[in-house]
Amino acid sequence: MVVKRSLASVLGVLLVFTLFHNPTTVVGQRLVSPFSLFTFGDSNLDAGNKQTLTTADVAQGFWPYGKSRDNPNGKFSDGFIVTDFVAKFMKIPIEIPPALKPNVNVSRGASFAVADATLLGAPVESLTLNQQIRKFNQMKDANWKDDFIKQSLFMIYIGANDYLNFTKNNPEADASAQQAFVTSVTNKLKSDITLLYNSGATKFLIQTLAPLGCLPIVRQDYRTGEEKCYEPLNNLAKLHNEKIGPMLNEMATTNSDFQFTVFDFYNVILRRIQSKSIGLSYRFLKTNVSCCGVGTHDAYGCGLSNVHSRLCEYQRSYLFFDGRHNTEKAQEMFAHLLFGADPNVIQPMNIRELVMYPVGEPMREVWLPTSSATLQASDSSSSSSSGYEFY
Ligand SMILES: *[C@@H]1O[C@H](CO)[C@@H](O)[C@H](O)[C@H]1NC(C)=O
Ligand SMILES: *[C@@H]1O[C@H](CO)[C@@H](O)[C@H](O)[C@H]1NC(C)=O
Ligand SMILES: *[C@@H]1O[C@H](CO)[C@@H](O)[C@H](O)[C@H]1NC(C)=O
């Protein structure tokens, strides 16, 4: 009896000891999210890399950039950018830092995106996507374990500068020249994503290109007049975007642990620009001009010391802060869509679903073409029945 009781209490103590022997780990497992975020691409996702890379003063390092946060830090917005919000939603406790800046904390990911980045060519004082991925590989061994990389989200927005440059240099390009260029750009994108996958990444978020012809700086440079967008650039963006989903479907078929999703940024922007004519409100009063800059669409020179830029009074009523980048309010909206929207906006999964999806498991859904993916900038009245209107 005595023996039994003491055995029971010994077992009890052992049990209690096993349950609570390492309370910090238990708490740690419960409270700390395991997710991390790596970003690649151009100025839209640049967390301050261009500012680090060049010795010249950059406009985005000066007021009124960052004004809503009283901190011009090399990001293209009046405050935070989309990835700051996405990181917050992923419960990452620190800001995703620019990878090129010395002595930053890359324990939860980093931004490799640099303003002026392209897929093709050799951008001045910037890095191509390929060079960004090589930089990631150089930093990898010293900073991140393989399991960590597999669990991390890799977000990419790239290509706009390739098409802006192409259109500037080839204003008369015909359909077959355009198609040939799109093919070379998207082939390069595919080989770069493959390189990143071969570097250990398995969770990819690719954004389609915005309707480039509707950017205030493009409307201004190409003098499209009042309501019009510059259609040759929108067409290039559409041709590019059409290739993304099928390309990623194929990669997921070939590689069973390749997971991806596509954010329909093109239509997210276009719906906001067309909101009046399709009878919706996204709470932006101005969508065709910038908040900060000079010119017919206030689209040039924001932050440049030699330009006397106009600055709008209320940033939150504008979709665009400068000629091609969105206001903090818009970027926060995009982050909510990325994180939680339905497949009409981001498919086959949103970020919340993608980061939760077990590492190594084949995707159970594919990307599907949608008929409304090609909302026409010039023919918006008929699109309100697309069942697509709420984001
Ligand atoms: C980096 O950030 C993490 C939080 O993700 C923190 O735990 C760690 O102490 C930081 N490292 C340094 C060197 O500050
Ligand atoms: C821009 O276009 C020109 C002419 O086609 C080309 O030589 C250059 O490499 C391009 N620049 C970039 C950064 O792609
Ligand atoms: C912007 O759109 C408004 C209508 O929403 C129009 O009145 C205005 O002229 C446009 N501005 C420019 C510069 O295109």
Side-chain angles (χ1 to χ4, degrees):
M1 211 51 194
V2 171
V3 174
K4 263 188 194 162
R5 195 178 296 138
S6 63
L7 181 62
S9 57
V10 166
L11 282 177
V13 166
L14 264 179
L15 183 65
V16 167
F17 185 74
T18 321
L19 280 177
F20 296 105
H21 81 286
N22 196 349
T24 51
T25 312
V26 174
V27 170
Q29 278 167 358
R30 241 181 246 150
L31 295 185
V32 179
S33 93
F35 308 123
S36 314
L37 178 62
F38 291 90
T39 67
F40 295 80
D42 64 21
S43 51
N44 280 269
L45 304 185
D46 186 341
N49 284 314
K50 177 80 173 196
Q51 193 178 29
T52 304
L53 200 63
T54 173
T55 50
D57 283 344
V58 288
Q60 67 274 21
F62 292 97
W63 191 90
Y65 283 100
K67 81 173 286 292
S68 302
R69 303 279 160 195
D70 207 17
N71 178 22
N73 52 10
K75 295 177 183 176
F76 291 83
S77 159
D78 54 310
F80 289 134
I81 57 173
V82 59
T83 42
D84 292 320
F85 294 107
V86 169
K88 218 178 279 176
F89 299 165
M90 288 169 73
K91 299 215 160 53
I92 296 173
I94 52 173
E95 254 183 67
I96 300 303
L100 304 187
K101 197 169 169 179
N103 305 318
V104 291
N105 188 338
V106 297
S107 65
R108 302 302 295 273
S111 160
F112 291 83
V114 192
D116 303 321
T118 51
L119 279 158
L120 305 176
V124 179
E125 290 195 306
S126 185
L127 299 176
T128 60
L129 177 60
N130 188 273
Q131 290 169 323
Q132 293 173 26
I133 296 167
R134 286 171 196 279
K135 182 75 195 167
F136 168 79
N137 273 319
Q138 284 165 16
M139 291 174 63
K140 195 169 78 169
D141 288 347
N143 292 293
W144 309 294
K145 295 202 163 70
D146 289 350
D147 283 353
F148 176 92
I149 292 170
K150 282 194 198 316
Q151 270 198 339
S152 301
L153 180 66
F154 287 77
M155 179 169 174
I156 301 174
Y157 183 70
I158 189 81
N161 291 319
D162 293 274
Y163 295 109
L164 291 167
N165 188 42
F166 175 79
T167 304
K168 196 190 220 168
N169 291 313
N170 306 278
E172 308 296 332
D174 61 11
S176 74
Q178 289 185 356
Q179 190 61 64
F181 186 69
V182 170
T183 301
S184 61
V185 170
T186 49
N187 282 347
K188 184 67 180 146
L189 178 60
K190 184 175 183 188
S191 77
D192 285 346
I193 292 175
T194 304
L195 175 63
L196 197 48
Y197 172 75
N198 290 335
S199 312
T202 60
K203 291 176 184 282
F204 295 87
L205 162 64
I206 315 293
Q207 274 185 230
T208 63
L209 292 178
L212 302 174
C214 301
L215 301 176
I217 188 68
V218 171
R219 295 187 198 236
Q220 179 166 310
D221 285 351
Y222 290 92
R223 298 192 175 85
T224 59
E226 294 288 283
E227 301 285 333
K228 295 241 165 45
C229 299
Y230 186 63
E231 288 307 325
L233 269 165
N234 278 0
N235 288 335
L236 280 167
K238 273 190 264 187
L239 291 173
H240 174 95
N241 294 342
E242 279 165 13
K243 303 218 168 194
I244 305 285
M247 171 178 113
L248 296 167
N249 278 344
E250 189 201 316
M251 294 176 82
T253 308
T254 320
N255 309 288
S256 64
D257 62 347
F258 183 96
Q259 302 170 359
F260 74 90
T261 195
V262 181
F263 180 51
D264 186 8
F265 194 47
Y266 187 97
N267 285 308
V268 163
I269 294 283
L270 197 57
R271 276 195 292 277
R272 279 155 184 78
I273 289 172
Q274 299 177 338
S275 57
K276 235 179 250 154
S277 52
I278 56 180
L280 300 170
S281 172
Y282 293 101
R283 316 259 172 116
F284 294 108
L285 293 176
K286 303 273 188 182
T287 59
N288 55 358
V289 295
S290 312
C291 164
C292 173
V294 293
T296 53
H297 293 65
D298 293 324
Y300 172 77
C302 184
L304 292 179
S305 57
N306 57 348
V307 175
H308 193 70
S309 284
R310 203 190 70 95
L311 177 67
C312 68
E313 223 165 277
Y314 190 53
Q315 286 82 51
R316 295 184 65 84
S317 61
Y318 283 72
L319 179 59
F320 290 97
F321 179 64
D322 66 12
R324 55 177 292 190
H325 305 101
N326 298 100
T327 53
E328 179 187 273
K329 176 188 168 179
Q331 305 217 33
E332 182 171 11
M333 230 180 218
F334 304 155
H336 280 290
L337 296 176
L338 282 158
F339 200 73
D342 70 27
N344 291 300
V345 174
I346 178 167
Q347 60 145 329
M349 298 187 252
N350 57 37
I351 289 184
R352 195 184 54 225
E353 294 163 323
L354 180 56
V355 296
M356 293 296 198
Y357 205 84
V359 171
E361 249 181 50
M363 303 226 309
R364 282 184 291 272
E365 304 261 340
V366 297
W367 179 91
L368 295 171
T370 50
S371 51
S372 45
T374 48
L375 255 177
Q376 288 292 323
S378 49
D379 174 29
S380 49
S381 52
S382 60
S383 57
S384 57
S385 60
S386 60
Y388 198 19
E389 43 265 32
F390 299 108
Y391 295 98

